[in-house]
Amino acid sequence: MSQPESAIADAQAGGPSNGTPEPLAKLAARYGLRRAIARPSLLVYLRQLWERRHFVMTYATSRNVSKYSNSALGQLWQVLTPLLNAAIYFLMFGVILGASKGIDNYPAFLITGMFVFTYTQRSVSGGAKAISGNLSLIRALHFPRAALPLAYTIQEFQQLLISMGVLLGLVLLTQEPVTLLWLLIPVALALQTMFNIGASLVLARFGSTARDLNQLLPFIMRTWLYASGVFFSIEDRVVGPNGAGLPQWVADIMYFNPAAAYIELMRDLLMQTHPARPYIWAVCVFWAVFALLGGFWYFWRAEEKYGRG
């Protein structure tokens, strides 16, 4: 009798043929068997994810193609959406509520904030539904589940590449000059993408079990939008004489918000009229590394639970 057949016979009998009961886990270990859905080691998991990189890219691209396939304007909506939001916020906050006071080149200030925040917002929102929205795929195929939230972020990054071309054109129309700092834009986007991947992985694990997350997410994102200085200057509104008059450390805490930090960094690079903050680079690097490493580890820890139940 072969070794697998002996293992099956022993399992059916409750233990070895000598009649002594033996736990199934110990029996499986004796014959070199392991669970089919057991979580691999972290290094093995990374290798498996790399081996499926073509699947990730193809899945992200196909989602981009199908997302706007039923609309007349198609891919233009990925640019029109933040532009329309920016127009509404310009009217409500810039004109009616006076948020533009004290800000040089408010149109570029607002548009930059909207495009940068929209990239993170869409990536995180997509990641929250990456597991719960693909249960049939997860239960039918065996692959690293991190491929799904990663594909959602890549999908938004592909859309961002088009949006950035529009953003740069609009900033030039507001008479901002091209400077050497523009060469650092790819670095800033890489840091933001690292953060988006990590945040998407965290929300993907939450979303796999928290059934009400999709209902709460719009409120969370709206609060995050208002706290990130998209359409107002945090410094002026928190510390300035025409603002709340709070201590400087309150504004510094708000700038530590990752969305606000990446918005400020992009404004520093694109707008010569925007006052640069020397610590923003450190904040952006911290969030990129912390979110990517922590988010990946947190997601990997529950790998064998996704799609169960």
Side-chain angles (χ1 to χ4, degrees), residues 169-186:
L170 292 173
V171 170
L172 288 174
L173 287 177
T174 62
Q175 299 182 352
E176 286 287 345
V178 178
T179 66
L180 290 176
L181 290 177
W182 284 36
L183 296 175
L184 295 176
I185 292 176

Side-chain angles (χ1 to χ4, degrees), residues 229-273:
V230 173
F231 39 79
F232 65 91
S233 170
I234 294 176
E235 186 77 19
D236 291 345
R237 292 295 169 178
V238 174
V239 182
N242 297 323
L246 298 175
Q248 179 63 44
W249 61 266
V250 178
D252 292 337
I253 290 177
M254 292 185 69
Y255 281 123
F256 193 72
N257 163 12
Y262 290 115
I263 290 172
E264 285 298 305
L265 178 59
M266 190 61 68
R267 285 169 176 162
D268 291 348
L269 299 179
L270 289 177
M271 301 173 60
Q272 199 172 41
T273 56

Side-chain angles (χ1 to χ4, degrees), residues 63-75 77:
R63 282 186 56 84
N64 259 332
V65 172
S66 62
K67 185 174 183 179
Y68 301 103
S69 59
N70 294 325
S71 59
L73 297 179
Q75 298 290 326
W77 278 111

Side-chain angles (χ1 to χ4, degrees), residues 84-121:
L84 291 174
N85 285 332
I88 294 171
Y89 290 134
F90 180 83
L91 177 62
M92 295 299 299
F93 293 93
V95 177
I96 297 177
L97 297 180
S100 61
K101 294 180 180 178
I103 300 177
D104 295 327
N105 197 355
Y106 185 70
F109 178 93
L110 177 62
I111 294 170
T112 302
M114 282 304 307
F115 274 72
V116 173
F117 183 82
T118 299
Y119 176 38
T120 293
Q121 179 189 37

Side-chain angles (χ1 to χ4, degrees), residues 2 20 32 40 62 68 80 93 99 114 132 142 198 217 221 237 249 261 263:
S2 64
T20 304
S62 63
Y68 301 103
L80 288 176
F93 293 93
M114 282 304 307
S132 59
H142 179 71
L217 204 56
M221 289 300 161
R237 292 295 169 178
W249 61 266
I263 290 172

Side-chain angles (χ1 to χ4, degrees), residues 24-103:
L24 290 179
K26 188 175 180 180
L27 180 66
R30 183 157 63 85
Y31 285 100
L33 304 179
R34 63 185 182 88
R35 287 181 298 164
I37 59 171
R39 183 186 68 220
S41 67
L42 190 57
L43 291 178
V44 172
Y45 191 72
L46 284 170
R47 187 177 70 248
Q48 291 176 350
L49 193 59
W50 173 253
E51 291 171 350
R52 289 161 177 82
R53 62 191 181 277
H54 301 297
F55 162 75
V56 174
M57 294 299 298
T58 303
Y59 185 73
T61 303
S62 63
R63 282 186 56 84
N64 259 332
V65 172
S66 62
K67 185 174 183 179
Y68 301 103
S69 59
N70 294 325
S71 59
L73 297 179
Q75 298 290 326
L76 283 176
W77 278 111
Q78 66 192 36
V79 177
L80 288 176
T81 300
L83 282 179
L84 291 174
N85 285 332
I88 294 171
Y89 290 134
F90 180 83
L91 177 62
M92 295 299 299
F93 293 93
V95 177
I96 297 177
L97 297 180
S100 61
K101 294 180 180 178
I103 300 177

